[in-house]
Amino acid sequence: MRKRIVAGNWKMHKKLEEGLSLARDIRVRLEGRCSEGKEVILFPPFIHLAGIARLLEGPTGFHCGAQNCHHKTEGAYTGEISASMIASAGASHVIVGHSERRKYFGEDDALLAAKIDRALEEGLTPVFCCGETLEERESGRQFEIVGRQIRKALFHLPEEKIRKLHIAYEPVWAIGTGKSASPEAASEMHAFIRSEVAAQYGRESAEAISILYGGSVKPGNAAGLFAMPDIDGGLIGGASLQAADFEAIFNAL
Ligand code: PEP
């Protein structure tokens, strides 16, 4: 059975004390309600990671991760953070390929493939983000774009490794805009992603991968999205910054 997950991407929000306090609040609200099959993952800024990893130790089903990692093992890359540093801070996951990284930092498919490799080598679980822009959707190219993103960044992996990651479908036009994809549109893309994975690796592997939806998920629309058969949870941006909203979204899982 694949996992059902609610993950919070805090982006560049929260000073250290505010971040620790939010993580503490989320733990208090959700302790005893997570399990091996139903997880919470928090993605705070790098400097919060070690503190939040400690704070989430103990109860089953709580994890934290980084929002990015460098694609090299180590070296003279001022300002960068490696996958092994992330793991050594006690984190277990890492987001790779968020559309903001693609857009503002020029991250392309080849670089993302290298980051996926580094993350897996360090035992981190990558959450690989893919999604089309508004222009790509309006011109009917959304399946071509998302299909290419997952093929180029993921399909070099052997079968035993593809099962070790999660995928987040995040249409760029829905991120931070308040305009979520409809459950039907999101579900159609999730089914497409799963069928592409199945065509490459077989149905069993495709069924083992959690595919999260991200893009303006809120307490009011989470239940409709999470009820769809191929949507295994959400990657939440804005609404993950308030513990009460995050809890309400978890309740919809
Ligand atoms: C995100 O950036 O991953 C995201 C889903 O943001 P939001 O929920 O704010 O649209």
Side-chain angles (χ1 to χ4, degrees):
M1 270 289 279
R2 58 186 182 253
K3 294 171 195 283
R4 294 184 65 75
I5 299 165
V6 171
N9 174 14
W10 296 1
K11 311 193 186 193
M12 198 171 72
H13 294 290
K14 303 286 179 194
K15 293 179 208 159
L16 184 57
E17 268 317 313
E18 295 167 342
L20 292 173
S21 155
L22 175 58
R24 214 173 282 120
D25 195 354
I26 289 170
R27 175 176 166 158
V28 167
R29 287 167 185 266
L30 299 181
E31 192 160 355
R33 304 191 46 217
C34 296
S35 62
E36 293 292 349
K38 199 170 175 185
E39 296 185 346
V40 160
I41 314 169
L42 302 183
F43 291 99
F46 283 125
I47 58 157
H48 304 51
L49 269 184
I52 290 183
R54 260 196 306 276
L55 213 145
L56 298 182
E57 259 169 24
T60 311
F62 282 90
H63 305 281
C64 72
Q67 298 170 17
N68 178 37
C69 68
H70 197 265
H71 61 289
K72 293 273 179 70
T73 316
E74 62 178 358
Y77 302 104
T78 301
E80 290 295 325
I81 305 282
S82 71
S84 66
M85 292 171 189
I86 293 165
S88 73
S92 49
H93 290 67
V94 61
I95 296 176
V96 175
H98 193 280
S99 62
E100 288 152 15
R101 300 286 322 168
R102 293 177 193 258
K103 180 174 172 191
Y104 300 126
F105 302 95
E107 298 194 354
D108 62 14
D109 295 326
L111 180 71
L112 299 177
K115 289 187 183 213
I116 291 282
D117 290 343
R118 282 305 311 135
L120 287 168
E121 277 160 22
E122 292 302 333
L124 296 172
T125 301
V127 177
F128 175 72
C129 298
C130 54
E132 79 285 358
T133 63
L134 186 59
E135 191 203 336
E136 288 160 349
R137 176 160 281 263
E138 283 178 343
S139 59
R141 294 166 58 224
Q142 65 270 30
F143 296 107
E144 171 200 329
I145 297 296
V146 170
R148 195 204 66 223
Q149 289 172 339
I150 59 173
R151 272 194 304 280
K152 293 250 167 126
L154 303 181
F155 284 8
H156 62 287
L157 294 170
E159 191 182 353
E160 73 275 8
K161 288 204 170 165
I162 197 83
R163 292 173 182 229
K164 295 196 168 143
L165 53 82
H166 307 315
I167 295 175
Y169 168 56
E170 298 207 306
V172 180
W173 48 270
I175 295 179
T177 59
K179 259 194 267 161
S180 170
S182 67
E184 294 72 22
S187 182
E188 187 183 26
M189 183 60 84
H190 283 227
F192 168 75
I193 293 169
R194 208 179 296 287
S195 72
E196 290 291 287
V197 176
Q200 181 75 10
Y201 294 100
R203 192 35 71 183
E204 208 186 310
S205 290
E207 290 297 332
I209 293 178
S210 297
I211 307 179
L212 313 183
Y213 168 78
S216 296
V217 178
K218 307 272 180 248
N221 62 14
L225 288 158
F226 297 168
M228 303 308 279
D230 276 302
I231 300 183
D232 304 310
L235 179 55
I236 321 297
S240 72
L241 298 172
Q242 302 292 335
D245 284 352
F246 193 70
E247 180 186 13
I249 291 170
F250 180 86
N251 289 343
L253 202 55

